[in-house]
Amino acid sequence: MTRSRRVQRDLSASRSDTSASTSPERCPDDDNDSFMLQPNDSQSSLAPSVLPEEDNDDALRRALEERCRVSPISRLPAELMISIFAKLSSPNDLKNCMLVSTEWSRNAVGLLWHRPQTNKFSSVKNVIMTVRRTNSFFDYASLIKRLNLSALGTDASDGTLQPLSDCKRVERLTLTNCTKLTDLSLTAMLKDNRSLLALDVTGLESITDKTMLVLADNAVRLQGLNITNCKKITDDSLEAVARSCKHLKRLKLNGCSQLTDKSIIAFARNCRYILEIDLFDCKSLEDESITTLITEGLHLRELRLARCWRITDNAFLRLPADAAYESLRILDLTDCGELQDAGVQKIVQAAPRLRNLVLAKCRLLTDRSVFSITRLGKNLHYIHLGHCSRITDAGVSQLVKLCNRIRYIDLACCSNLTDSSVIQLATLPKLKRIGLVKCGNITDRSILALAKPKQVGSGGPVSPSVLERVHLSYCTNLTLQGIHALLNNCPRLTHLSLTGVQAFLREDLVIFCREAPPGPLTPLPPSIPKTLTSHPEFNEHQREVFCVFSGVGVQRLRNYLNADQPGGPRMVRTTFDADGTMFDESDPDVIVNVTAQANTMALEEIEDDFGEGSEMMGQD
């Protein structure tokens, strides 16, 4: 018996929205549910109905007529149409697409309302009016996935947020520094929202445990939580969050000094997939919570413990003897004053793949710690040893020999260091940023070494220095000649700090400097909250000796020094002999918080990932 011919599929004009689709995936910002408007899978182009054998001819005829009637672009699967619309960067263009046809409208509306514009109060008002309209063609409230009111700041109140409480599919809610918001609007916004992935309430000092308990009851998919400076939230509510939100990956609890080991241990034991946790200025934490975090956090990549003053060596010495935490890449122990050499030795043993290590203001550390750090070898890219004044040339020399991939090093206020250390550091082939503030022993020999071109590999070509940021404030032995050589031989240089260096406090040179930071009597612009400034107020003397060249100022200074000077000798380009001298070490005058202050806490796995907030990344 001959096999009957397979029934041909109906050429449906319906959109392809089913989970069985093999079309290219939508981008992460798209949500399939928003566009699944067909009542069942049988109407999808990937799950067509099968017609009886006798109706084949009629079906083919109808399909041909439909194809002739509908434009080719309208016959595209929904996935392709959405991918095309996603390339449009202008909201007006997306709005115009919505006006073309019903089909286009259905596929464009989700992109347009995924993250509505809320940077002005008038824009927020328009969003509220649209969401609350009862006769809308679309359910706009369910289309909003990201809501960010941080641009409104103090203009946002409970009356602003509460009308948006019907948006129950918001995945990312950002309310940074909306200080007038209280539990009233936050609880309404969080209640019945099972889609929330990230919540940022930085600076909302009025919210209490009530908000956190509602969060725990509803946001079971939560992955990121930022409660920086929320002083009224206690261990009790955070324990509830830890028990309910087991998918948490990123925690930022900066400035919550009221928290104790109790809540941190709860997070460590319940949230086994934590990648990043920032505990800056959590002064009440002790060794037990830190030991538990590391022991339980097998996926932990970033641990920031700046100004956790009660932490001692025991937090690390109590780790299992043979355990290795290979995922840990960033560890910040700024101003953990009780930390000593034994603790650093155990840290390096337990986390052999550390890339960024910040030990600024750990004043008890000596060369023994530096010798331990050398075991990190090529993994170490970023090392901050500012104010570790017991370190000597011997430790730095060994560090350079064994960790030759260092890109960033800060040795501020390491007063024992001399030109010998800088000469060694200058040989690092990938060094981009160096801090030598208040390293008073260094001279022009160090600067000439830093400026010297480097040979690529053994017998390879000679290439210019790749230095981008150099901090030499209060290195009072430096002269104009050395800095001029640095400028001419470092083409990538974009930042040069020379505060307090007398040779540069000349009227013809300071005109190329940027403005000094505000002093105690200088009002800040209204757009910059005082809590966001990365440096304390400068006194009058600091303002007078302030000398920082950045961006175009560096280029202008270089051009000026290379030009003929009326009434003075012409500056000539410095050349180097085979035994050219080298580098020095220092750090900023004011060491600021080196904990990263990024709004998103995602760890970017790139080679040049330097922590934000350090002196080299911002102000001197």
Side-chain angles (χ1 to χ4, degrees), residues 25 137 259 275 415 433 447 473 536 551 577:
E25 292 184 1
F137 187 77
L259 301 181
L275 300 177
S415 53
R433 310 178 186 187
I447 308 308
S473 295
D577 55 29

Side-chain angles (χ1 to χ4, degrees), residues 322-339:
D322 298 325
Y325 304 93
E326 304 254 345
S327 297
L328 192 59
R329 296 290 191 277
I330 298 177
L331 179 61
D332 184 351
L333 293 165
T334 299
D335 208 8
C336 294
E338 298 297 318
L339 189 68

Side-chain angles (χ1 to χ4, degrees), residues 17-20 36 38-49:
D17 281 336
T18 68
S19 58
M36 294 177 64
Q38 300 294 353
N40 58 63
D41 284 345
S42 67
Q43 294 185 357
S44 166
S45 60
L46 297 182
S49 302

Side-chain angles (χ1 to χ4, degrees), residues 46-65:
L46 297 182
S49 302
V50 178
L51 298 176
E53 183 76 23
E54 59 270 15
D55 292 337
N56 278 351
D57 293 340
D58 289 341
L60 290 173
R61 179 178 55 79
R62 288 196 302 270
L64 182 61
E65 291 176 354

Side-chain angles (χ1 to χ4, degrees), residues 6-20:
R6 179 171 298 184
V7 178
Q8 296 189 27
R9 292 174 178 261
D10 180 22
L11 300 176
S12 172
S14 301
R15 295 170 296 108
S16 174
D17 281 336
T18 68
S19 58

Side-chain angles (χ1 to χ4, degrees), residues 572-610:
V572 295
R573 188 179 183 91
T574 305
T575 58
F576 298 89
D577 55 29
D579 298 321
T581 57
M582 307 196 167
F583 141 118
D584 177 26
E585 13 186 283
S586 166
D587 189 310
D589 171 37
V590 181
I591 300 296
V592 296
N593 169 27
V594 294
T595 299
Q597 299 298 327
N599 288 334
T600 62
M601 300 192 299
L603 176 65
E604 298 294 339
E605 289 294 337
I606 57 176
E607 289 188 338
D608 296 328
D609 180 25
F610 302 105

Side-chain angles (χ1 to χ4, degrees), residues 154-374:
T154 55
D155 291 335
S157 64
D158 286 338
T160 309
L161 185 61
Q162 206 159 8
L164 296 168
S165 59
D166 288 336
C167 303
K168 298 303 183 185
R169 299 187 66 187
V170 172
E171 295 176 354
R172 298 186 183 183
L173 180 59
T174 306
L175 305 170
T176 306
N177 293 312
C178 298
T179 53
K180 291 183 179 179
L181 296 180
T182 68
D183 290 333
L184 179 65
S185 58
L186 260 296
T187 52
M189 193 74 195
L190 298 175
K191 187 177 181 182
D192 297 328
N193 185 339
R194 315 290 285 186
S195 301
L196 192 66
L197 298 177
L199 175 65
D200 187 343
V201 289
T202 297
L204 274 62
E205 297 185 358
S206 298
I207 65 173
T208 67
D209 286 344
K210 186 175 181 181
T211 294
M212 291 296 104
L213 291 173
V214 174
L215 180 72
D217 289 341
N218 294 275
V220 293
R221 298 174 58 201
L222 192 69
Q223 295 182 17
L225 176 62
N226 187 343
I227 59 169
T228 295
N229 290 328
C230 295
K231 306 288 187 181
K232 295 182 179 179
I233 295 175
T234 69
D235 287 327
D236 294 337
S237 62
L238 290 183
E239 282 188 284
V241 172
R243 288 191 297 268
S244 300
C245 307
K246 296 182 181 295
H247 301 289
L248 269 170
K249 294 181 179 179
R250 296 175 174 88
L251 270 173
K252 204 171 181 71
L253 311 179
N254 297 13
C256 296
S257 54
Q258 73 278 12
L259 301 181
T260 68
D261 287 354
K262 188 178 176 184
S263 56
I264 305 305
I265 291 174
F267 280 119
R269 290 178 175 168
N270 290 283
C271 307
R272 297 304 182 92
Y273 298 99
I274 291 181
L275 300 177
E276 304 162 12
I277 184 165
D278 193 339
L279 301 171
F280 168 77
D281 209 24
C282 292
K283 299 183 180 70
S284 301
L285 299 186
E286 298 187 2
D287 294 334
E288 183 183 1
S289 58
I290 308 307
T291 305
T292 308
L293 266 177
I294 298 175
T295 304
E296 302 290 342
L298 299 180
H299 302 281
L300 190 63
R301 296 190 303 192
E302 181 175 339
L303 178 58
R304 298 187 181 272
L305 304 170
R307 297 184 64 182
C308 293
W309 293 336
R310 297 187 181 183
I311 294 177
T312 70
D313 288 350
N314 289 330
F316 308 102
L317 295 177
R318 291 172 180 168
L319 293 172
D322 298 325
Y325 304 93
E326 304 254 345
S327 297
L328 192 59
R329 296 290 191 277
I330 298 177
L331 179 61
D332 184 351
L333 293 165
T334 299
D335 208 8
C336 294
E338 298 297 318
L339 189 68
Q340 299 185 41
D341 293 334
V344 174
Q345 183 178 0
K346 180 62 178 179
I347 288 170
V348 174
Q349 177 187 337
R353 300 189 66 188
L354 273 175
R355 189 181 63 187
N356 291 21
L357 181 58
V358 183
L359 299 170
K361 292 190 176 182
C362 296
R363 293 180 171 87
L364 299 180
L365 302 185
T366 69
D367 283 341
R368 286 184 57 202
S369 291
V370 181
F371 295 150
S372 299
I373 292 169
T374 61

Side-chain angles (χ1 to χ4, degrees), residues 21-91:
S21 173
T22 57
S23 299
E25 292 184 1
R26 300 175 179 146
C27 63
D29 287 346
D30 298 327
D31 188 286
N32 292 340
D33 295 341
S34 300
F35 310 101
M36 294 177 64
L37 302 180
Q38 300 294 353
N40 58 63
D41 284 345
S42 67
Q43 294 185 357
S44 166
S45 60
L46 297 182
S49 302
V50 178
L51 298 176
E53 183 76 23
E54 59 270 15
D55 292 337
N56 278 351
D57 293 340
D58 289 341
L60 290 173
R61 179 178 55 79
R62 288 196 302 270
L64 182 61
E65 291 176 354
E66 181 68 13
R67 291 187 64 179
C68 293
R69 185 181 68 83
V70 179
S71 64
I73 186 68
S74 296
R75 294 198 297 270
L76 283 177
E79 287 88 346
L80 291 181
M81 197 174 292
I82 292 168
S83 295
I84 294 171
F85 291 158
K87 304 294 183 184
L88 301 176
S89 57
S90 169

